[in-house]
């Protein structure tokens, strides 16, 4: 009986540790609604600094991304791609044990010509 109790306590404690974080996931698309591969997604704190080291992720071929093990709180998400203008979404709320979905539409960079 003592072993069963100990095992149950360990399982509960382990589950509680893993539930203390959340996930941010979403999709990055281009102006034609196609998934945008190779976009860089960064999770930033309110001061604009990288929030967690493993928060720099790259979208897959369908434009999907996921940032796991994020502490609950408020964040900024910055998405960049070499062919598109950067996008920043602020006030992203991550809740314990939940997935926050944040999708992005990227726009083509406008070529700037010199003014004479």
């Amino acid at each position: 009986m003592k072993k069963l109790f100990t095992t149950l306590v360990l399982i509960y404690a382990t589950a509680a540790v893993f539930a203390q974080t959340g996930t941010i996931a979403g999709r990055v698309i281009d102006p034609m609604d196609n998934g945008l591969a190779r976009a860089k997604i960064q999770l930033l704190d309110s001061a604009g600094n990288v929030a967690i080291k493993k928060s720099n992720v790259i979208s897959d071929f369908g434009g999907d991304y996921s940032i796991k093990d994020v502490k609950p709180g408020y964040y900024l998400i910055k998405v960049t791609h070499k062919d598109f203008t950067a996008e920043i979404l602020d006030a992203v709320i991550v809740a314990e044990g939940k997935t926050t979905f944040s999708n992005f539409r990227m726009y083509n960079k406008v070529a700037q010509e010199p003014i004479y």
Side-chain angles (χ1 to χ4, degrees), residues 1-10:
M1 185 66 153
K2 186 176 179 181
K3 285 185 179 184
L4 176 62
F5 177 75
T6 303
T7 302
L8 290 175
V9 168
L10 287 174

Side-chain angles (χ1 to χ4, degrees), residues 91-107:
V92 176
I93 301 171
V94 176
E96 184 177 310
K98 303 286 184 186
T99 298
T100 301
F101 293 96
S102 294
N103 298 319
F104 292 86
R105 179 182 301 274
M106 305 295 284
Y107 294 97

Side-chain angles (χ1 to χ4, degrees), residues 27-92:
R27 189 164 193 236
V28 181
I29 59 173
D30 66 15
M32 302 298 288
D33 293 334
N34 298 312
L36 186 59
R38 310 274 316 141
K40 181 179 178 182
I41 297 93
Q42 293 179 295
L43 187 62
L44 309 173
D45 62 20
S46 60
N49 301 312
V50 175
I52 50 177
K53 290 180 183 180
K54 60 183 172 181
S55 71
N56 295 323
V57 300
I58 303 296
S59 61
D60 65 16
F61 289 108
D64 297 314
Y65 73 92
S66 179
I67 304 171
K68 298 179 180 178
D69 300 325
V70 180
K71 290 181 182 177
Y74 294 89
Y75 295 94
L76 302 163
I77 300 176
K78 181 178 181 181
V79 180
T80 56
H81 189 282
K82 66 181 181 82
D83 298 326
F84 297 88
T85 58
E87 295 290 328
I88 297 178
L89 180 63
D90 62 352
V92 176

